Amino acid sequence: MAGSSHRHQSSLEGVIDLYEAVPIFENVQQRTQAIRRFRRIITYFEDTKQQSTSSQLGDGYNRPALIRLTFEFARSPESQDMVLKAFFQSLALGMLDDNAGTDLSDDSEVASLRTLVFSFADHLIYHFFLPLRAATVKTPQPTPTYHVAVEQVQTQEEQQRMQDFTGTPERLGALRGLCLTRDRHRCVITRAFDHDELVKRLRQPLAKDDDGNVLNPERDDYSHLEVAHILPFSLTKVEGGGELSESKKAAIAILNMFDIGVIHLIEGVDIDRPRNAITLSHEMHMFFGNFEIFFERVADDDTANTYQIQAFRPFLATRLQFPVRRTLFSHPSIDPPLERLLRLHSAIGHILYLSGAGEYINVILRDMEDGVVREDGSTQLGALVNVALRNSGWTE
């Protein structure tokens, strides 16, 4: 099945367009019919999964559930319509005829349909969720001054070539400065004060935080703080040729299908705007980047940027004493973290957790990092993914 899945993934590249201006359905009745047909197919395979061995339906994560959740968590009805269109096109089925091509009592037809459904889920995993998850925790921190100095003595052409692959140190440094200023040099979750800023201020006769309170390192929490992109900085970073890789084009297409128009908020240098970044401790950055914690806007708070911060796994919620409620810091001239991007991050996290795809991806990434070779040969996929990620510019 792996071979057929790979071939089908390639054919899906043309299915998901960056933008669909024309409404997909002419009326509510057509949309209702398409949704009903979609749920009929997905429910069948979700129910079957509970009655079959993993070898029959594919190992690792619940593929039908991932597709269903991608539809349910899509950020608007228009985005849901695009998910439906991509799904049915990938299966070579019409959206409105509930009978043609879906005889679920025919074993051979079910087997063929299963391959297509599972291949669509794998396409979403290997072209979007996995590279996004692998890249999210790799927000680069500002380069040390001495390293910047070495870079700056290179020729302009050499500097541009390096920046294509590593990002602009000055831009990342500026982003860090803006976020620290806006977030008052504190982690927005733990409220720990920035260690480096604390050391700097303790050189003064009376060290105070940004609110005018006296700093006391024996009493107050402090930590090394980091800039955490909400959507990864490498998502829209072009390579040496000045164009996005095919892998990133596919990821952006899926992202735009999931939330129509969101790419216009993160194009080019916009990926490094304060609206796409928050200040976090290293530990919180890792949890956030791994989609293990998420921000949920408090519905009854119309005036302040107040969020409930939660963890998906109960043991992590207990350890971190989540949920916690935090009002994000504000600044008169620096944009706050954009609620739309935090909602998008939360939706992706829910899909990964509820489908089991998050743990599936974690295993692949751990195997890649540890160089594990499994006796059953399953490591081969991780090795291929590793090569693909590196060649496409997703990882450093």
Side-chain angles (χ1 to χ4, degrees), residues 2 27 34 52 63 132 167 178 193 221 249 261 265 292 311 321 336 357-358 360 364-365 389:
N27 51 54
S52 305
R63 287 165 172 79
L132 189 72
L178 289 170
F193 197 76
D221 291 333
K249 288 179 182 178
L265 298 174
E292 293 184 74
Q321 298 183 324
Y360 173 74
I364 291 178
L365 295 179
L389 288 174

Side-chain angles (χ1 to χ4, degrees), residues 200-209 212-216:
K200 176 182 174 182
R201 295 189 185 189
L202 286 176
R203 298 191 187 111
Q204 303 170 2
L206 185 60
K208 296 183 179 181
D209 66 12
N213 302 310
V214 177
L215 287 168
N216 184 343

Side-chain angles (χ1 to χ4, degrees), residues 75 231 255 258 262 340-348:
R75 303 313 302 145
L231 294 181
L255 178 67
F258 192 70
V262 73
R340 180 176 179 177
L341 299 181
L342 289 171
R343 285 183 179 273
L344 182 57
H345 179 278
S346 172
I348 292 170

Side-chain angles (χ1 to χ4, degrees), residues 145 147-156 159 162 169-170:
T145 303
H147 184 59
V148 174
V150 172
E151 283 190 345
Q152 289 177 340
V153 300
Q154 311 295 323
T155 66
Q156 183 174 357
Q159 286 186 45
M162 287 186 292
E170 291 83 356

Side-chain angles (χ1 to χ4, degrees), residues 2 5 11-12 26 56 68 101 118 122 132 141 147 183 203 232 289 295 309 331 355 369:
S5 173
S11 70
L12 287 171
E26 295 180 1
Q56 290 176 299
R68 173 179 57 79
F118 281 32
D122 285 341
L132 189 72
Q141 301 311 303
H147 184 59
D183 299 332
R203 298 191 187 111
F295 287 65
I309 303 161
H331 190 277
S355 68
E369 183 176 346

Side-chain angles (χ1 to χ4, degrees), residues 313-325:
R313 302 182 188 278
F315 78 88
L316 186 59
T318 299
R319 178 193 158 191
L320 299 177
Q321 298 183 324
F322 280 1
V324 295
R325 181 174 292 200

